[in-house]
Amino acid sequence: MARGRLKRRAIVFIILSLVAVAGCNHADTAGKREPALSFGGISTGASEDEITGIMGKPSESSAKDQTKEVHYIGANGPNATFVLVNNHLVKGYWYPSVFDAKVKIPTTKEDLDLSKPHKLEQVDCYETAKCDHYVFEQGKQKLQITMDWENKRIDRVILE
């Protein structure tokens, strides 16, 4: 009879230990999410207030139904455009090669974090030149960065 109790206690101990270990493993990963892809501190889902907090006051904006476009235009041309649906960023465009705002954004290849998994493609640009085109994907998010013809400066960025 003592052996029966001992055996049951051992089984209960093993089961409780397994439940505790499984709970700890779940707790380690439950609160963690991969960070969203972003550029210049802005990621998909950002609100207009979050964007203007980083970029400053836009040059112009236009709205139709639930969609709003916010534009930043500098002396050298378009700096950035953001498309928001229901006040959430769904697509952002940056043109760092002509960016003249006071906001600090990546502008060169050295400014990029290329340690993240990405695809590197060659795309046509500037008539006959080939430019490096980096594609970062995470879930449904995609960040595309196209370099200039010398592959030193960032020409354009699309975040969606």
Side-chain angles (χ1 to χ4, degrees):
M1 193 168 225
R3 276 190 170 178
R5 273 192 214 151
L6 187 58
K7 195 174 190 179
R8 273 185 266 149
R9 282 186 181 178
I11 291 171
V12 169
F13 176 77
I14 290 170
I15 291 172
L16 290 175
S17 296
L18 291 173
V19 168
V21 168
C24 289
N25 286 340
H26 177 71
D28 283 346
T29 58
K32 293 181 184 176
R33 284 188 329 170
E34 289 187 45
L37 292 176
S38 66
F39 186 80
I42 298 173
S43 58
T44 55
S47 69
E48 184 176 2
D49 287 342
E50 291 171 317
I51 293 168
T52 57
I54 292 170
M55 297 290 295
K57 184 180 175 190
S59 305
E60 59 185 46
S61 64
S62 60
K64 184 177 180 183
D65 298 324
Q66 300 299 319
T67 302
K68 184 173 189 176
E69 287 190 12
V70 179
H71 305 277
Y72 292 84
I73 302 168
N76 298 321
N79 289 327
T81 296
F82 302 99
V83 179
L84 297 104
V85 175
N86 295 322
N87 197 33
H88 295 307
L89 179 68
V90 294
K91 199 165 196 176
Y93 303 87
W94 289 261
Y95 305 93
S97 60
V98 296
F99 205 79
D100 58 358
K102 295 177 183 176
V103 178
K104 175 69 178 127
I105 64 167
T107 57
T108 66
K109 187 181 254 183
E110 288 77 33
D111 295 336
L112 297 177
D113 179 3
L114 297 176
S115 66
K116 296 178 183 177
H118 64 277
K119 291 186 278 185
L120 175 59
E121 305 168 343
Q122 293 286 304
V123 295
D124 292 330
C125 61
Y126 306 102
E127 297 178 17
T128 60
K130 293 283 187 185
C131 295
D132 285 348
H133 180 77
Y134 296 91
V135 180
F136 301 84
E137 293 180 291
Q138 183 174 303
K140 294 181 180 180
Q141 298 177 3
K142 184 186 268 187
L143 174 63
Q144 301 175 67
I145 301 173
T146 305
M147 305 305 292
D148 68 0
W149 65 277
E150 294 178 320
N151 288 316
K152 292 180 182 175
R153 293 185 50 80
I154 299 171
D155 185 55
R156 67 184 172 277
V157 176
I158 301 172
L159 174 66
E160 54 191 337

